[in-house]
Amino acid sequence: MESEPQFFDQPGGYVGKPLVRVEGREKVTGKAKYSAEFPLPGLTYGVLATSPIAKGKIQSIETAAAAREPGVIAVLTHQNLPKLAKTPNDPQGKKDIGAPMGFLPLTGDEIFYAAQPVALVVADTLEHATHAARLVKVTYQKGDPIANFKQPKAELFDPEKVQDGKQKGHTKRGDAQAAFASAPIQLTATYNHPVYNHNPMEPGSTTAHWEAPDRLTIYESTQGVTRTQSAVAAMTGLPREQVRVITKYLGGGFGCKGATWPHTVLTVQAAKAVGRPVKLMLTREQMFTSMGHREDQEQIMKMGATADGKITSLVHTKKSTTSPWDNYAEPNSKIVDLLYASPTFESSYELARANVMTSTFMRAPGEAPGSFAIECSMDDLAYRVGVDPIEIRLRNYADHDYGTGQQWSSKSLKQCYARGAELFGWSKRNPKAGATRDGRYLVGMGMASASYPVHNSSGTARARLYADGHAVVQAGATDLGTGTYTVMTQVAADSLGLPIEKVRFELGDTQLPTAPNSGGSVAAGTVSSSIFLACQDVWQKLIKAAVIDKKSPLYRAKPEDVAVEKGRLFLKKDPKKGEAFGDLMKRGEMTDVEGMAQGKYGSGYEDASAAKNADPTQKDQAGQHSMHSFGAHFCEVRVDMDLGTIRVSKWVSVIGAGRILNAQTARSQIIGGAIFGIGSALMEETIRDEHFSRYTNADLAGYHVPVNADIPDMTVEFVEEHDPYINAMGVKGIGEIAMVGVAAAVANAVYHATGKRLRDLPLTPDKVLMAGLNS
Ligand code: MOS
């Protein structure tokens, strides 16, 4: 029998400490290589020419002028691009390649969206390719595009009637309509979100290198090398292992790099066509139409409650815009269902096709917009009943997950409310809206709850411990820039009992053990658990070697009686009896020992035994617990009623997310997420022209994101939380929760300041000035 793996909480350990980034020096000295920075011999440059129209047909393409320009190697169009084994344009291909790529351009003459690629020019320099791409002459037969779901010509449909029903957006618990009709308090409100774009600092890029006719290496800006590998393998027809994907550093993703997009495949085809490596980097403008966006959407939130503010009914509906070929909709309703103890619930959603690039997941997909609807409505309820916004949430506190009926694996939301209120100074808040002034500013305080699920995920890691006391630990994970390199090095060092400088963690390569996408907030929990368990595997192997080694003090001990701490193997009952791993290995002439293990969602030690007896056909085998992070945001705003400007002047976020791996990178991540949310609340918006279905502000001058001057000092705290169910490390992940509830906290603060309830994001000055009182 193997000895039980243990949580480690060694005094003096690295996990949890605010260590600086292990890759920080590489980054600030410019040595860190991002995906577009791999110089290959014979490298060429690809530039896309794109369609100005959003709907129609290509009548003719004239490429000769472009091809004649200096340095041009090829001008590729749908007429001469090498064929793929599979494209997403047919249903089976779409299934094999994986969402969201439901359409690949340069496969025919039809135009479905504005800025759809129509040609790819390859040249010896970026400048030559850029110049020549402008000379590609295309004539179009123009159609009449649809720009969004609100237009009269747009047709709303229920995607679950036409598809596989996987999105589970339609839910019914009890009779929510009847409960609403008979509720003493009835609130109905409509919430609008514009299109948002992720706008990571580093644009999407691909460098494709065919090293042999059947062997391909891609340097890709992606949140998941494995996913890119499987999609490209499906399209090229190569076996997976002959497609290698490398992503050493990423300059942000926020969801837009979570899947494989057309520019990647087109670059692969172009490299095949010219017989040389091709690098293609999207321009900032192309980032608005090449890697998805958050869909424009409308939510209607109906809330029924008793006179003292206990929710009796929630009815949530949503409409949004999708592309001509895709049925993706953010799953908004889940968070509406799970945050509060409503005995009844109903949700549904509809989509309309428009001439747009498809939408995709964006940081906290579903939870971010869903929380805006439920958390503003909760604020409305608080004012209607005449109680404090925290009190109304406590009256409706969900002591279990009403959506699934499960118990929570852990939930620290009450602590988040209490600690947040204390840090923020909530008790000083005047309960009356529109009643606090500071000079020319109206001052408001608002708050909102946050929650994000621990998504189902698994992945593997390898740990190799050398006899001389250093180690290399590997997982094919991605570091979005948030600290994966650092936290995994900490976990490995503690798991192996080594000084941190003796451990190197490698990631971002499909030749390493398969790790999940860095998406859905799963990477920290899954990868850290796989590393912890891989290191346990190393110890198990060494323990087995010790007990059969006649010269070891542990000879003939039972493996389960042996423990390891800080690199020393010893008898649990007689800790003096033992030896350092290095001595054991040198004596046995073992250069190194390698361990490998899988980290899994729902296989924390409590649930692991339950899972053994569970029905394996059940999707969630661990199954007894609903696993979520929770948190609370507190916001103070100053509103200038002459100019309509809103300034966030104070911010507090308190989060309960299980074990926190690094106090400093975690704090940075929460700050980053909250700023992302403040951007969505106050300034971010991609504007799509109603007539042409083109974006009118596709650059960072027109798409405003917060800068330092927009953001006050922010206070972030984590509630100490031990969750024995979620995974081996007890880590829930914090990539997305910080963004959830942020827009509502801001809007609630604006209401408290002004008495104006704004429900159409972003809350720009025009809306502040135009809003009717108490609308
Ligand atoms: Mo994130 S939106 O799951 O990449």
Side-chain angles (χ1 to χ4, degrees), residues 512-723:
L512 305 178
T514 302
N517 246 36
S518 279
S521 301
V522 304
T526 307
V527 179
S528 69
S529 294
S530 65
I531 288 173
F532 168 62
L533 295 169
C535 295
Q536 294 293 335
D537 191 35
V538 167
W539 294 130
Q540 292 303 333
K541 285 176 176 161
L542 285 170
I543 289 168
K544 279 178 190 153
V547 300
I548 58 167
D549 179 349
K550 282 182 188 153
K551 290 184 183 154
S552 171
L554 299 169
Y555 180 55
R556 290 204 162 160
K558 288 183 189 151
E560 63 265 33
D561 293 339
V562 180
V564 186
E565 210 178 287
K566 293 190 177 166
R568 187 173 169 274
L569 290 65
F570 59 91
L571 269 186
K572 285 179 196 166
K573 283 183 196 138
D574 184 7
K576 276 192 221 100
K577 217 167 166 187
E579 64 176 328
F581 72 88
D583 297 339
L584 168 70
M585 288 175 74
K586 278 170 201 151
R587 202 172 52 244
E589 293 177 27
M590 301 157 79
T591 317
D592 57 74
V593 183
E594 202 168 270
M596 202 152 170
Q598 187 188 39
K600 248 188 189 162
Y601 154 93
S603 54
Y605 291 114
E606 298 282 326
D607 264 16
S609 51
K612 277 181 202 152
N613 307 319
D615 175 0
T617 59
Q618 292 280 303
K619 187 174 153 235
D620 172 7
Q621 289 188 30
Q624 300 144 332
H625 293 93
S626 178
M627 306 182 190
H628 293 262
S629 306
F630 291 93
H633 301 294
F634 292 79
C635 172
E636 182 193 81
V637 294
R638 291 176 139 65
V639 184
D640 184 323
M641 286 312 291
D642 295 327
L643 300 174
T645 51
I646 299 166
R647 179 163 288 278
V648 174
S649 49
K650 196 193 266 188
W651 190 269
V652 173
S653 295
V654 180
I655 308 286
R659 186 191 297 266
I660 298 303
L661 292 170
N662 180 317
Q664 176 158 297
T665 55
R667 177 177 179 275
S668 296
Q669 209 168 6
I670 298 300
I671 288 173
I675 295 172
F676 207 85
I678 291 171
S680 75
L682 295 180
M683 51 195 91
E684 292 186 44
E685 170 178 31
T686 311
I687 298 162
R688 195 185 287 140
D689 181 277
E690 291 277 331
H691 297 289
F692 300 106
S693 196
R694 283 168 58 101
Y695 293 128
T696 63
N697 63 334
D699 55 48
L700 292 180
Y703 187 94
H704 292 177
V705 298
V707 297
N708 284 346
D710 295 313
I711 302 298
D713 263 352
M714 300 175 99
T715 302
V716 172
E717 256 194 37
F718 295 97
V719 174
E720 190 168 326
E721 191 178 74
H722 298 276
D723 191 313

